[in-house]
Amino acid sequence: MLIDSAAMAPAERAEAIREAIWDSVVRVEITHQPDPRLIRTVGAISTVGPLKVCSVRANATTIRRTRSLARDDLEPSVFVGLQVTGSSMVVQDGREALLEPGDLALYDTTRPYTLLNRDGIHQHFFRIPRAELGLRAGTLDRATAVRLSRRDPLADLTATCLRRIARHQSHPAPSSEHCLDAAGRPGIELLRALVTARLGDQHGASEALHDTLHLRILDYARTHLGEHDLTPARIAAHHHISRRCLYNTLSRRGICLGDWIRAQRLERCRDELASSGCRRPIAAVGRRWGFPNAAHFSRAFKQAYGLTPSEWRALHTAAR
């Protein structure tokens, strides 16, 4: 569902936005600009696996889930707010969390909360059923309205995963629906690990960190794809595990590290060669993404995509 206040008559904007949020996300009271002509809201709402995703940009609003609304028949859920730009505040359970870009905060739909966005809002919201998140009740109660700072490496990784989901749900590729549904699970696993580690639940944190080890390994490899010394030994050392543990962790999920890195590098080459802004020679693109030998790069690319790199670039140049 897409929301754009510019397509609505001013007198209908507040009610149309409220109805869309009530029907698809959560029942809340929304206080907009007093002059309906000044209401500006653009958003997208979708379902990604177990997640309900709402990405929104709007001018100043105050959002309240009141005590009476918190008693509705919505499945008990937790919201995760990811601040994109600007700042906002989450208020629940007697705590206040001031969010800056890249920060996260949780709030529970079964209790009242307030979201303050005095200078406008630009956030991604993710609604997760409490049963899917799998946090102990006491841990969750202590996690609401707590700022999870982007300066924490695990928080940054969690935000990166959620940000990718939000970005792709707004403009999905025709064949991406299954991939997006699958992506919702890693986001939940990372969030569980982040909350338990942040709040000192040692047993839960150890379990959650073990469950997300493969995600952290792949994210590290993805971040360093262009570096020629990206070896299993380096990846294992970064995560303080043996190479044997590295291989076993990934193989349990059907992942061969070498094949995965090769496929990711080829995807980066494919995307860059198709870009109108790419002026690099083909061999330079290959070297940039870990293929120092031009002949080997050309063979690998054709094996993966059925075209040589030059044919792929020519195809997209002609299409433009």
Side-chain angles (χ1 to χ4, degrees):
M1 176 186 293
L2 300 178
I3 301 172
D4 187 352
S5 61
M8 308 169 187
E12 300 172 355
R13 288 174 182 171
E15 179 59 23
I17 293 168
R18 185 197 67 83
E19 184 176 336
I21 297 300
W22 275 46
D23 291 348
S24 302
V25 186
V26 65
R27 294 186 176 185
V28 287
E29 294 179 353
I30 307 174
T31 303
H32 292 280
Q33 301 287 322
D35 185 343
R37 294 171 299 178
L38 300 180
I39 295 175
R40 299 287 185 270
T41 301
V42 177
I45 303 169
S46 67
T47 300
V48 179
L51 301 175
K52 177 69 73 172
V53 185
C54 178
S55 300
V56 64
R57 185 194 293 266
N59 50 9
T61 60
T62 299
I63 299 170
R64 293 185 177 88
R65 184 153 167 89
T66 63
R67 194 170 300 279
S68 61
L69 290 176
R71 292 195 293 266
D72 65 12
D73 58 359
L74 176 70
E75 178 182 12
S77 302
V78 175
F79 269 97
V80 184
L82 168 57
Q83 192 75 23
V84 181
T85 62
S87 63
S88 68
M89 181 176 288
V90 178
V91 181
Q92 190 173 46
D93 297 329
R95 291 185 291 270
E96 299 178 351
L98 178 63
L99 304 185
E100 302 294 339
D103 293 344
L104 301 162
L106 278 66
Y107 40 101
D108 193 319
T109 64
T110 64
R111 301 190 298 281
Y113 61 76
T114 301
L115 310 180
L116 300 172
N117 309 284
R118 292 171 182 165
D119 299 320
I121 182 172
H122 187 192
Q123 273 198 18
H124 302 307
F125 301 95
F126 304 85
R127 194 187 79 203
I128 309 169
R130 287 179 61 162
E132 292 282 351
L133 189 55
L135 287 173
R136 301 176 184 180
T139 301
L140 182 56
D141 290 346
R142 291 184 289 121
T144 56
V146 172
R147 180 190 178 214
L148 301 171
S149 172
R150 65 191 183 280
R151 295 183 178 87
D152 180 323
L154 189 52
D156 184 59
L157 176 55
T158 305
T160 298
C161 181
L162 295 174
R163 192 180 296 110
R164 287 172 183 153
I165 294 171
R167 182 172 64 245
H168 290 296
Q169 63 92 21
S170 297
H171 305 286
S175 60
S176 67
E177 181 176 353
H178 174 72
C179 296
L180 272 175
D181 286 349
R185 295 289 175 185
I188 292 173
E189 291 176 16
L190 285 168
L191 183 65
R192 184 187 306 118
L194 171 62
V195 171
T196 52
R198 174 73 166 75
L199 296 178
D201 180 349
Q202 294 184 355
H203 175 75
S206 177
E207 186 178 86
L209 287 171
H210 178 270
D211 290 344
T212 59
L213 177 59
H214 69 291
L215 299 173
R216 290 181 280 120
I217 289 170
L218 297 182
D219 187 77
Y220 178 84
R222 188 182 290 110
T223 302
H224 298 277
L225 278 176
E227 299 170 18
H228 292 197
D229 63 344
L230 181 64
T231 62
R234 172 183 162 184
I235 297 171
H238 178 80
H239 293 89
H240 309 289
I241 58 176
S242 67
R243 280 187 290 177
R244 182 177 180 178
C245 178
L246 172 72
Y247 290 130
N248 288 341
T249 297
L250 296 178
S251 67
R252 283 195 294 269
R253 289 161 178 83
I255 299 170
C256 172
L257 180 61
D259 291 347
W260 186 90
I261 290 176
R262 181 171 175 269
Q264 291 289 313
R265 284 173 164 170
L266 285 170
E267 284 186 17
R268 299 294 179 90
C269 293
R270 179 196 64 188
D271 293 345
E272 185 167 341
L273 289 170
S275 170
S276 60
C278 178
R279 297 291 182 267
R280 290 187 181 89
I282 289 173
V285 172
R287 283 195 301 272
R288 182 187 182 196
W289 295 111
F291 295 98
N293 184 293
H296 171 68
F297 169 51
S298 183
R299 287 194 299 271
F301 193 96
K302 185 170 183 178
Q303 183 180 13
Y305 303 116
L307 296 171
T308 65
S310 58
E311 290 170 340
W312 177 261
R313 170 177 269 179
L315 178 68
H316 284 271
T317 300
R320 286 194 294 273

